[in-house]
Amino acid sequence: MCGIIGYVGKREAAPLLLEGLKRLEYRGYDSAGICVADGENKLAHKKNAGRVDELVALMDGAMPKGNWGIAHTRWATHGVPNTTNAHPHADCHENIFVVHNGIIENYRDIKEKLIKEGHIFISDTDTEVLSHLIEKFFKKNLEEAVIKALKLMRGAYGIAVVAAQDPGKIVAV
Ligand code: GLU
């Protein structure tokens, strides 16, 4: 069972998110990732197949700076445990990032439609349909886009989403 953590506040988000992932390690996982917005609301992310400590080492002291973000430990259900399939997953322009626990049962149909519409997928996960579908529906308000996207989803899941164009906010479902 994997883990999700998010933070919005006045403190640096990355250390808090990584500490949160450490506390969730007991649940078991195969990869870990983090997405943090900087002071100009640009979203930076890092992810890795392996332990949270390895993710920290990968950042080599240069953690993304900013005070809102999300993080995830994955237990793969769709796609092998590798870095590409690790969460967070982005839309085509890395403006929207999603972390997700659980399964989206009808992801294949949605993925096929989105590819026909021009979306570029890079992972084998069911999760990635969410970031692209939210991208498709996003105007200004992230909640509205998430609600529209989830109306098309079947399955049991939890998600957390951030968008560069709707700053200081995490939408969790
Ligand atoms: N189904 C998603 C995946 O395979 C999420 C798995 C999980 O719950 O960690 O990436």
Side-chain angles (χ1 to χ4, degrees), residues 87 89-91 96-104 107 110-111 114 119 121 123 125-138 142 145-154 157-161 173:
H87 300 209
H89 287 284
D91 68 323
I96 294 167
F97 282 85
V98 176
V99 295
H100 159 232
N101 288 357
I103 290 172
I104 297 160
Y107 81 99
I110 297 170
K111 185 169 176 174
L114 286 167
H119 290 263
F121 281 75
S123 81
T125 64
D126 51 341
T127 307
E128 201 182 350
V129 297
L130 266 170
S131 38
H132 291 280
L133 206 53
I134 294 166
E135 173 184 20
K136 175 176 166 169
F137 291 129
F138 186 83
L142 184 58
V146 170
I147 288 167
K148 281 187 185 154
L150 291 189
K151 283 198 172 137
L152 302 177
M153 302 285 166
R154 274 204 325 271
Y157 49 80
I159 65 168
V161 190
V173 182

Short mmCIF file of all heavy atoms in Angstrom, two decimals, residues 87 89-91 96-104 107 110-111 114 119 121 123 125-138 142 145-154 157-161 173:
data_model
loop_
_atom_site.label_atom_id
_atom_site.label_comp_id
_atom_site.label_asym_id
_atom_site.label_seq_id
_atom_site.Cartn_x
_atom_site.Cartn_y
_atom_site.Cartn_z
N HIS A 87 5.58 8.14 -9.38
CA HIS A 87 4.77 9.37 -9.31
C HIS A 87 5.64 10.50 -8.75
O HIS A 87 6.59 10.21 -8.03
CB HIS A 87 3.58 9.15 -8.38
CG HIS A 87 2.68 8.05 -8.83
ND1 HIS A 87 1.32 8.05 -8.55
CD2 HIS A 87 2.91 6.89 -9.50
CE1 HIS A 87 0.77 6.94 -9.05
NE2 HIS A 87 1.72 6.22 -9.62
N HIS A 89 3.00 12.22 -11.76
CA HIS A 89 2.86 12.20 -13.22
C HIS A 89 2.35 13.56 -13.70
O HIS A 89 1.48 14.16 -13.07
CB HIS A 89 1.91 11.08 -13.64
CG HIS A 89 2.56 9.74 -13.49
ND1 HIS A 89 3.51 9.28 -14.37
CD2 HIS A 89 2.45 8.80 -12.52
CE1 HIS A 89 3.94 8.10 -13.97
NE2 HIS A 89 3.31 7.78 -12.85
N ALA A 90 2.91 13.98 -14.84
CA ALA A 90 2.63 15.33 -15.33
C ALA A 90 1.73 15.31 -16.57
O ALA A 90 1.58 14.27 -17.23
CB ALA A 90 3.94 16.02 -15.68
N ASP A 91 1.18 16.46 -16.87
CA ASP A 91 0.50 16.68 -18.14
C ASP A 91 1.58 16.92 -19.23
O ASP A 91 2.77 16.80 -18.95
CB ASP A 91 -0.45 17.90 -18.02
CG ASP A 91 0.33 19.19 -17.87
OD1 ASP A 91 1.39 19.18 -17.19
OD2 ASP A 91 -0.08 20.21 -18.42
N ILE A 96 0.87 20.54 -14.52
CA ILE A 96 -0.04 19.84 -13.60
C ILE A 96 0.65 18.55 -13.18
O ILE A 96 1.19 17.84 -14.04
CB ILE A 96 -1.38 19.52 -14.31
CG1 ILE A 96 -2.13 20.81 -14.65
CG2 ILE A 96 -2.25 18.58 -13.45
CD1 ILE A 96 -3.29 20.62 -15.60
N PHE A 97 0.64 18.27 -11.87
CA PHE A 97 1.24 17.02 -11.38
C PHE A 97 0.25 16.29 -10.48
O PHE A 97 -0.44 16.92 -9.67
CB PHE A 97 2.54 17.28 -10.61
CG PHE A 97 3.71 17.56 -11.52
CD1 PHE A 97 3.95 18.83 -11.99
CD2 PHE A 97 4.56 16.54 -11.90
CE1 PHE A 97 5.02 19.10 -12.84
CE2 PHE A 97 5.64 16.78 -12.75
CZ PHE A 97 5.86 18.07 -13.22
N VAL A 98 0.23 14.96 -10.64
CA VAL A 98 -0.72 14.12 -9.91
C VAL A 98 0.03 13.01 -9.18
O VAL A 98 0.94 12.40 -9.76
CB VAL A 98 -1.71 13.47 -10.91
CG1 VAL A 98 -2.65 12.50 -10.19
CG2 VAL A 98 -2.50 14.52 -11.67
N VAL A 99 -0.35 12.73 -7.95
CA VAL A 99 0.03 11.48 -7.28
C VAL A 99 -1.25 10.72 -6.99
O VAL A 99 -2.30 11.32 -6.77
CB VAL A 99 0.86 11.70 -6.00
CG1 VAL A 99 2.21 12.33 -6.32
CG2 VAL A 99 0.12 12.54 -4.98
N HIS A 100 -1.14 9.39 -6.96
CA HIS A 100 -2.35 8.58 -6.98
C HIS A 100 -2.11 7.25 -6.28
O HIS A 100 -1.09 6.59 -6.53
CB HIS A 100 -2.72 8.38 -8.47
CG HIS A 100 -3.61 7.23 -8.78
ND1 HIS A 100 -3.29 6.30 -9.75
CD2 HIS A 100 -4.80 6.85 -8.28
CE1 HIS A 100 -4.26 5.40 -9.83
NE2 HIS A 100 -5.18 5.70 -8.95
N ASN A 101 -3.03 6.88 -5.44
CA ASN A 101 -3.07 5.54 -4.85
C ASN A 101 -4.26 4.80 -5.42
O ASN A 101 -5.35 5.39 -5.49
CB ASN A 101 -3.31 5.59 -3.34
CG ASN A 101 -2.12 6.09 -2.57
OD1 ASN A 101 -1.09 6.36 -3.13
ND2 ASN A 101 -2.30 6.21 -1.27
N GLY A 102 -4.09 3.53 -5.76
CA GLY A 102 -5.23 2.74 -6.21
C GLY A 102 -5.20 2.49 -7.70
O GLY A 102 -4.14 2.55 -8.32
N ILE A 103 -6.38 2.24 -8.26
CA ILE A 103 -6.46 1.79 -9.66
C ILE A 103 -7.57 2.54 -10.39
O ILE A 103 -8.66 2.71 -9.85
CB ILE A 103 -6.74 0.26 -9.70
CG1 ILE A 103 -5.48 -0.49 -9.22
CG2 ILE A 103 -7.15 -0.20 -11.08
CD1 ILE A 103 -5.67 -1.97 -9.03
N ILE A 104 -7.26 2.96 -11.62
CA ILE A 104 -8.28 3.51 -12.52
C ILE A 104 -8.62 2.42 -13.52
O ILE A 104 -7.81 2.09 -14.40
CB ILE A 104 -7.77 4.78 -13.21
CG1 ILE A 104 -7.50 5.85 -12.14
CG2 ILE A 104 -8.79 5.30 -14.23
CD1 ILE A 104 -6.57 6.93 -12.60
N TYR A 107 -8.76 3.08 -17.57
CA TYR A 107 -7.74 4.01 -18.06
C TYR A 107 -7.40 3.79 -19.53
O TYR A 107 -7.06 4.71 -20.25
CB TYR A 107 -6.47 3.95 -17.19
CG TYR A 107 -5.55 2.81 -17.50
CD1 TYR A 107 -4.41 3.00 -18.29
CD2 TYR A 107 -5.80 1.54 -17.03
CE1 TYR A 107 -3.57 1.96 -18.59
CE2 TYR A 107 -4.96 0.49 -17.33
CZ TYR A 107 -3.84 0.70 -18.11
OH TYR A 107 -3.01 -0.34 -18.42
N ILE A 110 -9.67 5.75 -21.90
CA ILE A 110 -9.41 7.20 -21.77
C ILE A 110 -8.07 7.53 -22.41
O ILE A 110 -7.93 8.52 -23.14
CB ILE A 110 -9.43 7.61 -20.29
CG1 ILE A 110 -10.82 7.37 -19.69
CG2 ILE A 110 -9.05 9.08 -20.12
CD1 ILE A 110 -10.89 7.52 -18.19
N LYS A 111 -7.08 6.68 -22.18
CA LYS A 111 -5.73 6.93 -22.74
C LYS A 111 -5.78 6.96 -24.27
O LYS A 111 -5.22 7.85 -24.91
CB LYS A 111 -4.78 5.84 -22.24
CG LYS A 111 -3.34 6.04 -22.63
CD LYS A 111 -2.44 5.08 -21.87
CE LYS A 111 -1.00 5.20 -22.34
NZ LYS A 111 -0.06 4.41 -21.56
N LEU A 114 -7.28 10.20 -25.44
CA LEU A 114 -6.39 11.34 -25.21
C LEU A 114 -5.22 11.33 -26.21
O LEU A 114 -4.80 12.39 -26.68
CB LEU A 114 -5.88 11.33 -23.77
CG LEU A 114 -6.92 11.74 -22.72
CD1 LEU A 114 -6.42 11.40 -21.31
CD2 LEU A 114 -7.25 13.22 -22.79
N HIS A 119 -2.38 14.13 -26.87
CA HIS A 119 -1.61 14.08 -25.62
C HIS A 119 -0.48 13.06 -25.73
O HIS A 119 -0.64 11.99 -26.32
CB HIS A 119 -2.53 13.71 -24.45
CG HIS A 119 -3.49 14.79 -24.10
ND1 HIS A 119 -3.26 15.70 -23.09
CD2 HIS A 119 -4.67 15.16 -24.66
CE1 HIS A 119 -4.26 16.56 -23.03
NE2 HIS A 119 -5.14 16.26 -23.98
N PHE A 121 1.93 10.51 -23.86
CA PHE A 121 2.10 9.72 -22.63
C PHE A 121 3.52 9.18 -22.56
O PHE A 121 4.08 8.76 -23.57
CB PHE A 121 1.11 8.56 -22.62
CG PHE A 121 -0.28 8.97 -22.23
CD1 PHE A 121 -1.09 9.66 -23.12
CD2 PHE A 121 -0.78 8.67 -20.97
CE1 PHE A 121 -2.37 10.05 -22.77
CE2 PHE A 121 -2.06 9.06 -20.61
CZ PHE A 121 -2.86 9.75 -21.51
N SER A 123 4.50 7.14 -19.56
CA SER A 123 4.58 6.02 -18.61
C SER A 123 3.61 4.92 -19.00
O SER A 123 2.79 5.09 -19.90
CB SER A 123 4.26 6.51 -17.19
OG SER A 123 2.85 6.59 -17.01
N THR A 125 1.59 3.71 -16.63
CA THR A 125 0.66 3.69 -15.48
C THR A 125 -0.77 4.05 -15.90
O THR A 125 -0.99 4.71 -16.92
CB THR A 125 1.08 4.72 -14.42
OG1 THR A 125 0.98 6.03 -15.00
CG2 THR A 125 2.49 4.48 -13.94
N ASP A 126 -1.70 3.62 -15.07
CA ASP A 126 -3.08 4.10 -15.19
C ASP A 126 -3.17 5.56 -14.75
O ASP A 126 -3.96 6.35 -15.25
CB ASP A 126 -4.02 3.21 -14.35
CG ASP A 126 -3.54 3.02 -12.91
OD1 ASP A 126 -2.34 3.25 -12.63
OD2 ASP A 126 -4.36 2.63 -12.07
N THR A 127 -2.30 5.94 -13.83
CA THR A 127 -2.32 7.29 -13.23
C THR A 127 -2.19 8.42 -14.25
O THR A 127 -2.83 9.46 -14.12
CB THR A 127 -1.14 7.41 -12.23
OG1 THR A 127 -1.20 6.33 -11.32
CG2 THR A 127 -1.14 8.74 -11.51
N GLU A 128 -1.36 8.19 -15.25
CA GLU A 128 -1.02 9.30 -16.16
C GLU A 128 -2.25 9.82 -16.92
O GLU A 128 -2.26 10.98 -17.34
CB GLU A 128 0.09 8.87 -17.13
CG GLU A 128 0.80 10.08 -17.72
CD GLU A 128 1.88 9.70 -18.73
OE1 GLU A 128 2.22 8.52 -18.85
OE2 GLU A 128 2.35 10.63 -19.41
N VAL A 129 -3.29 8.99 -17.06
CA VAL A 129 -4.49 9.52 -17.74
C VAL A 129 -5.08 10.69 -16.94
O VAL A 129 -5.67 11.60 -17.52
CB VAL A 129 -5.61 8.46 -17.98
CG1 VAL A 129 -5.14 7.37 -18.90
CG2 VAL A 129 -6.18 7.92 -16.70
N LEU A 130 -4.88 10.66 -15.64
CA LEU A 130 -5.45 11.72 -14.80
C LEU A 130 -4.82 13.07 -15.10
O LEU A 130 -5.53 14.06 -15.26
CB LEU A 130 -5.18 11.38 -13.32
CG LEU A 130 -6.28 10.65 -12.58
CD1 LEU A 130 -5.76 10.19 -11.24
CD2 LEU A 130 -7.48 11.55 -12.41
N SER A 131 -3.48 13.11 -15.17
CA SER A 131 -2.83 14.41 -15.39
C SER A 131 -3.22 14.98 -16.75
O SER A 131 -3.46 16.18 -16.89
CB SER A 131 -1.32 14.31 -15.22
OG SER A 131 -0.82 13.12 -15.74
N HIS A 132 -3.34 14.10 -17.76
CA HIS A 132 -3.70 14.60 -19.10
C HIS A 132 -5.18 14.98 -19.19
O HIS A 132 -5.53 15.94 -19.87
CB HIS A 132 -3.34 13.55 -20.15
CG HIS A 132 -1.88 13.38 -20.31
ND1 HIS A 132 -1.09 14.25 -21.05
CD2 HIS A 132 -1.02 12.46 -19.81
CE1 HIS A 132 0.17 13.86 -21.00
NE2 HIS A 132 0.25 12.77 -20.25
N LEU A 133 -6.01 14.24 -18.50
CA LEU A 133 -7.43 14.58 -18.52
C LEU A 133 -7.69 15.89 -17.77
O LEU A 133 -8.49 16.72 -18.20
CB LEU A 133 -8.23 13.42 -17.89
CG LEU A 133 -9.67 13.25 -18.31
CD1 LEU A 133 -9.84 13.17 -19.81
CD2 LEU A 133 -10.25 11.99 -17.65
N ILE A 134 -6.99 16.07 -16.66
CA ILE A 134 -7.11 17.32 -15.91
C ILE A 134 -6.60 18.48 -16.78
O ILE A 134 -7.20 19.55 -16.83
CB ILE A 134 -6.38 17.23 -14.56
CG1 ILE A 134 -7.07 16.20 -13.66
CG2 ILE A 134 -6.34 18.59 -13.85
CD1 ILE A 134 -6.29 15.77 -12.44
N GLU A 135 -5.51 18.24 -17.50
CA GLU A 135 -4.98 19.26 -18.44
C GLU A 135 -6.06 19.64 -19.46
O GLU A 135 -6.29 20.82 -19.74
CB GLU A 135 -3.76 18.69 -19.18
CG GLU A 135 -3.25 19.60 -20.28
CD GLU A 135 -2.10 18.96 -21.07
OE1 GLU A 135 -1.94 17.72 -21.05
OE2 GLU A 135 -1.38 19.72 -21.72
N LYS A 136 -6.74 18.62 -19.99
CA LYS A 136 -7.76 18.87 -21.00
C LYS A 136 -8.87 19.78 -20.46
O LYS A 136 -9.36 20.66 -21.17
CB LYS A 136 -8.34 17.51 -21.43
CG LYS A 136 -9.50 17.59 -22.38
CD LYS A 136 -9.95 16.23 -22.82
CE LYS A 136 -11.31 16.34 -23.48
NZ LYS A 136 -11.69 15.10 -24.16
N PHE A 137 -9.24 19.57 -19.20
CA PHE A 137 -10.38 20.32 -18.64
C PHE A 137 -9.97 21.61 -17.93
O PHE A 137 -10.83 22.41 -17.57
CB PHE A 137 -11.16 19.44 -17.66
CG PHE A 137 -11.88 18.30 -18.33
CD1 PHE A 137 -11.72 16.99 -17.88
CD2 PHE A 137 -12.72 18.53 -19.41
CE1 PHE A 137 -12.39 15.94 -18.50
CE2 PHE A 137 -13.39 17.49 -20.04
CZ PHE A 137 -13.23 16.19 -19.58
N PHE A 138 -8.65 21.80 -17.72
CA PHE A 138 -8.22 22.94 -16.89
C PHE A 138 -8.41 24.27 -17.62
O PHE A 138 -7.95 24.44 -18.74
CB PHE A 138 -6.75 22.75 -16.50
CG PHE A 138 -6.27 23.82 -15.54
CD1 PHE A 138 -6.51 23.69 -14.19
CD2 PHE A 138 -5.61 24.94 -16.01
CE1 PHE A 138 -6.08 24.67 -13.30
CE2 PHE A 138 -5.19 25.93 -15.13
CZ PHE A 138 -5.42 25.79 -13.78
N LEU A 142 -8.47 24.57 -10.54
CA LEU A 142 -8.06 23.16 -10.52
C LEU A 142 -9.17 22.23 -10.04
O LEU A 142 -9.35 21.15 -10.60
CB LEU A 142 -6.80 23.01 -9.64
CG LEU A 142 -6.18 21.62 -9.59
CD1 LEU A 142 -5.77 21.13 -10.98
CD2 LEU A 142 -4.96 21.62 -8.66
N ALA A 145 -11.52 21.33 -12.82
CA ALA A 145 -10.92 20.40 -13.79
C ALA A 145 -10.86 18.98 -13.21
O ALA A 145 -11.15 18.00 -13.91
CB ALA A 145 -9.53 20.87 -14.18
N VAL A 146 -10.51 18.87 -11.93
CA VAL A 146 -10.42 17.54 -11.29
C VAL A 146 -11.81 16.90 -11.23
O VAL A 146 -11.97 15.72 -11.52
CB VAL A 146 -9.79 17.66 -9.88
CG1 VAL A 146 -9.90 16.34 -9.12
CG2 VAL A 146 -8.33 18.07 -9.99
N ILE A 147 -12.80 17.69 -10.87
CA ILE A 147 -14.17 17.15 -10.78
C ILE A 147 -14.61 16.62 -12.15
O ILE A 147 -15.13 15.51 -12.27
CB ILE A 147 -15.15 18.22 -10.24
CG1 ILE A 147 -14.89 18.44 -8.75
CG2 ILE A 147 -16.61 17.81 -10.47
CD1 ILE A 147 -15.55 19.67 -8.16
N LYS A 148 -14.36 17.40 -13.19
CA LYS A 148 -14.73 16.96 -14.55
C LYS A 148 -14.00 15.68 -14.92
O LYS A 148 -14.58 14.75 -15.49
CB LYS A 148 -14.40 18.05 -15.57
CG LYS A 148 -15.44 19.14 -15.59
CD LYS A 148 -15.18 20.11 -16.72
CE LYS A 148 -16.17 21.25 -16.64
NZ LYS A 148 -15.70 22.47 -17.24
N ALA A 149 -12.70 15.62 -14.61
CA ALA A 149 -11.90 14.42 -14.96
C ALA A 149 -12.42 13.20 -14.20
O ALA A 149 -12.58 12.12 -14.78
CB ALA A 149 -10.43 14.68 -14.65
N LEU A 150 -12.69 13.37 -12.93
CA LEU A 150 -13.06 12.20 -12.11
C LEU A 150 -14.44 11.66 -12.48
O LEU A 150 -14.73 10.48 -12.23
CB LEU A 150 -13.00 12.53 -10.62
CG LEU A 150 -11.59 12.75 -10.09
CD1 LEU A 150 -11.59 12.87 -8.57
CD2 LEU A 150 -10.63 11.65 -10.51
N LYS A 151 -15.27 12.51 -13.08
CA LYS A 151 -16.58 12.01 -13.53
C LYS A 151 -16.42 10.92 -14.57
O LYS A 151 -17.31 10.10 -14.77
CB LYS A 151 -17.41 13.16 -14.09
CG LYS A 151 -17.98 14.00 -12.98
CD LYS A 151 -19.13 14.87 -13.44
CE LYS A 151 -19.75 15.52 -12.20
NZ LYS A 151 -20.07 16.92 -12.40
N LEU A 152 -15.27 10.91 -15.26
CA LEU A 152 -15.05 9.91 -16.31
C LEU A 152 -14.31 8.66 -15.82
O LEU A 152 -14.10 7.72 -16.57
CB LEU A 152 -14.24 10.55 -17.45
CG LEU A 152 -14.89 11.79 -18.09
CD1 LEU A 152 -13.97 12.38 -19.14
CD2 LEU A 152 -16.24 11.44 -18.70
N MET A 153 -13.87 8.69 -14.56
CA MET A 153 -13.03 7.60 -14.02
C MET A 153 -13.87 6.54 -13.32
O MET A 153 -14.79 6.87 -12.59
CB MET A 153 -12.07 8.14 -12.96
CG MET A 153 -11.17 9.21 -13.43
SD MET A 153 -9.88 8.50 -14.43
CE MET A 153 -9.26 9.98 -15.16
N ARG A 154 -13.46 5.28 -13.49
CA ARG A 154 -14.02 4.18 -12.69
C ARG A 154 -12.88 3.58 -11.87
O ARG A 154 -11.77 3.44 -12.38
CB ARG A 154 -14.59 3.10 -13.59
CG ARG A 154 -16.01 3.33 -14.04
CD ARG A 154 -16.69 2.01 -14.41
NE ARG A 154 -15.79 1.05 -15.03
CZ ARG A 154 -15.57 0.97 -16.35
NH1 ARG A 154 -16.17 1.77 -17.18
NH2 ARG A 154 -14.73 0.06 -16.84
N TYR A 157 -9.70 4.88 -5.56
CA TYR A 157 -8.41 5.57 -5.55
C TYR A 157 -8.43 6.80 -4.65
O TYR A 157 -9.49 7.30 -4.27
CB TYR A 157 -8.03 6.00 -6.97
CG TYR A 157 -9.15 6.71 -7.70
CD1 TYR A 157 -9.41 8.04 -7.46
CD2 TYR A 157 -9.97 6.02 -8.60
CE1 TYR A 157 -10.46 8.69 -8.10
CE2 TYR A 157 -11.02 6.66 -9.25
CZ TYR A 157 -11.25 7.99 -8.99
OH TYR A 157 -12.29 8.62 -9.60
N GLY A 158 -7.22 7.27 -4.32
CA GLY A 158 -7.03 8.57 -3.70
C GLY A 158 -6.03 9.33 -4.54
O GLY A 158 -5.11 8.73 -5.10
N ILE A 159 -6.23 10.65 -4.68
CA ILE A 159 -5.28 11.44 -5.48
C ILE A 159 -4.97 12.77 -4.79
O ILE A 159 -5.76 13.26 -3.98
CB ILE A 159 -5.79 11.72 -6.91
CG1 ILE A 159 -7.04 12.61 -6.89
CG2 ILE A 159 -6.07 10.45 -7.66
CD1 ILE A 159 -7.41 13.17 -8.26
N ALA A 160 -3.83 13.35 -5.15
CA ALA A 160 -3.52 14.74 -4.81
C ALA A 160 -2.96 15.38 -6.07
O ALA A 160 -2.16 14.76 -6.79
CB ALA A 160 -2.53 14.82 -3.67
N VAL A 161 -3.40 16.61 -6.35
CA VAL A 161 -3.06 17.27 -7.61
C VAL A 161 -2.62 18.72 -7.33
O VAL A 161 -3.21 19.39 -6.49
CB VAL A 161 -4.29 17.33 -8.57
CG1 VAL A 161 -3.88 17.79 -9.96
CG2 VAL A 161 -5.02 16.01 -8.62
N VAL A 173 -8.56 14.09 -3.36
CA VAL A 173 -9.84 13.37 -3.50
C VAL A 173 -9.63 11.97 -2.93
O VAL A 173 -8.67 11.29 -3.31
CB VAL A 173 -10.26 13.26 -4.98
CG1 VAL A 173 -11.60 12.55 -5.10
CG2 VAL A 173 -10.31 14.62 -5.64
#
